[in-house]
Every structure is written in structure tokens, then in C-alpha cells.
Amino acid sequence: MSSPPSASPGDLSWSSASLISSWIVGPLYGINICVFMLCVRVLQMKVLKGPNLMMLIVASVQFALATGHITTLLVQLSRVYVGAAGTLDGRSQYLFGGASPDHVALEALYITNSLIGDAILIWRLWVIWNRNFWLCLPFIAFCIATAGQFGAP
């Protein structure tokens, strides 16, 4: 395992960056809960067939992925600040390594959720532009390229 890069006085440490990112993700997850509840409420008022049912399923999957992401983030932070990696050097090694199961799960959940969101936007583009496949083709290629980068070093 390589060691973290040396930091200059103005740089942020890996452990500080991880903690700050969790402070940002937490309130955003709270907003996500409200938006998900509103989405479910609006979709419940409609007949759950076809696109409405599909939107409910996709929204539920994305909410489950977001819940898994924040849960994994909290587990990772508890291991870094409370567990065996509690020393300053141990924190940096744990966070910088990127090979821990927590980090891999965190990235997998984030990327999967992003790909689903991108696919929804591509579908909306296809519907709005009268099912014009050629207009959507570059965005489909970008989505496939992003999925192809998943797991790359």
C-alpha cells in the first residue's frame, strides 16, 4: 500500500476531507428524504401503470442506493475515527488506500445511483424530442463510457 502524498500547509488531509464530505452529504440526504416522500405522494395520486409505476420503482431504487451510500459512509467514518484506524497515520492510510470494502461499496453505490439518474435524463430527452434516437446517441455513449470506467484503477 502506498503512503498518502505529503501535504503542504494549506492542503486538506484525507481524514479532514472525508469528515467534511460527510457533513455535506448528511443534509443533502435529508433533502433527498423529503423529495422522495413528495415523489411517492404525487405518484400515489396517479394511476400506477406504465411510466408512473416505472418512476416509482426507479425512485425507490435510487432512494435505497442513497440510503446505502450514507450508511456505508457512516460505517467508514466510525472505523476511521473510533475503530482501529483511530491514529492520525492510520486514518490517512485507511482513507488513502481506497481498497477497503467500505470505500469500494461507497463508490459502487454512488456510481450506480449516478448512472441510473443519467439513464432517466436520457429517457426524458428521448421522450421530449419525439423519440429521436440519434439525438440521444452521444449521451448514451457517455453513459456507457462512464459505466465502463467503473472499477478502473
Side-chain angles (χ1 to χ4, degrees):
M1 178 184 285
S2 61
S3 61
S6 60
S8 64
D11 288 345
L12 204 58
S13 70
W14 285 97
S15 57
S16 297
S18 176
L19 190 59
I20 291 169
S21 75
S22 67
W23 291 342
I24 294 169
V25 168
L28 289 176
Y29 179 72
I31 293 169
N32 193 18
I33 291 172
C34 297
V35 170
F36 175 71
M37 290 170 48
L38 280 170
C39 178
V40 169
R41 179 80 172 134
V42 167
L43 288 173
Q44 281 179 339
M45 290 190 271
K46 299 181 178 197
V47 178
L48 285 179
K49 288 190 212 176
N52 292 336
L53 180 61
M54 182 58 92
M55 289 304 294
L56 181 62
I57 291 169
V58 170
S60 298
V61 168
Q62 284 197 291
F63 183 72
L65 289 170
T67 301
H69 181 266
I70 196 149
T71 302
T72 307
L73 179 65
L74 293 174
V75 167
Q76 184 182 32
L77 287 176
S78 69
R79 287 190 180 153
V80 168
Y81 290 99
V82 179
T87 66
L88 185 58
D89 189 45
R91 287 182 198 151
S92 295
Q93 288 294 336
Y94 184 82
L95 292 169
F96 178 72
S100 70
D102 300 336
H103 184 74
V104 171
L106 198 66
E107 293 300 317
L109 290 166
Y110 178 78
I111 292 170
T112 303
N113 206 358
S114 294
L115 287 172
I116 291 171
D118 292 346
I120 291 169
L121 290 175
I122 292 169
W123 172 72
R124 289 299 302 153
L125 177 71
W126 181 70
V127 168
I128 289 172
W129 285 89
N130 295 323
R131 293 166 168 67
N132 184 350
F133 174 75
W134 297 108
L135 184 66
C136 298
L137 192 60
F139 300 105
I140 293 170
F142 293 147
C143 198
I144 291 170
T146 300
Q149 289 295 316
F150 182 63

